[in-house]
Amino acid sequence: MSKVLAILVGALCFSGIANANNNYIPILYNLSTILDFNPVKGPIKSLDEHVVANGKEIQEIKLNFDNGFCVENLTINRPTEGYSLELKLKGSVLEGKKMGSRFP
């Protein structure tokens, strides 16, 4: 009985590794929830999303990841609200501009 259990546990572990590339990147999924866009599954390097409502672009999101799936660049433009945000990874800190003004 323990051999069957060991084989089952091993199979589950290896199937989890095999399916890891088909899951959401956690930060991408969280941003999709916050910023209201559709997340993408799998290991992606960049995302360029345009959100359109009533035939008008209400939001543009550009996102780039490094090899460890950390955000390298994030740009959000909401032309109807006059809102913009640009973040870039410098070392271990995201620096950028919000509405044209620098922060951190």
Side-chain angles (χ1 to χ4, degrees):
M1 186 67 131
S2 63
K3 286 183 181 180
V4 173
L5 183 59
I7 291 171
L8 181 60
V9 169
L12 288 174
C13 289
F14 287 117
S15 69
I17 293 169
N19 290 326
N21 290 338
N22 293 326
N23 293 329
Y24 293 111
I25 299 169
I27 186 69
L28 179 61
Y29 187 81
N30 290 340
L31 286 172
S32 72
T33 302
I34 295 167
L35 300 173
D36 195 27
F37 66 90
N38 294 326
V40 179
K41 286 186 177 182
I44 65 168
K45 294 295 282 173
S46 65
L47 174 78
D48 191 2
E49 181 81 18
H50 298 267
V51 180
V52 178
N54 298 325
K56 199 183 256 191
E57 183 177 77
I58 59 170
Q59 182 168 259
E60 177 188 14
I61 301 165
K62 293 182 181 182
L63 185 60
N64 294 316
F65 294 99
D66 66 8
N67 291 334
F69 301 113
C70 292
V71 175
E72 282 187 331
N73 297 312
L74 171 63
T75 303
I76 301 170
N77 289 312
R78 293 180 180 159
T80 56
E81 298 173 17
Y83 177 85
S84 67
L85 175 71
E86 296 176 34
L87 298 174
K88 292 185 182 191
L89 185 64
K90 293 192 178 178
S92 62
V93 176
L94 281 172
E95 295 181 351
K97 296 178 184 177
K98 181 179 178 183
M99 308 292 285
S101 299
R102 288 199 153 290
F103 64 94

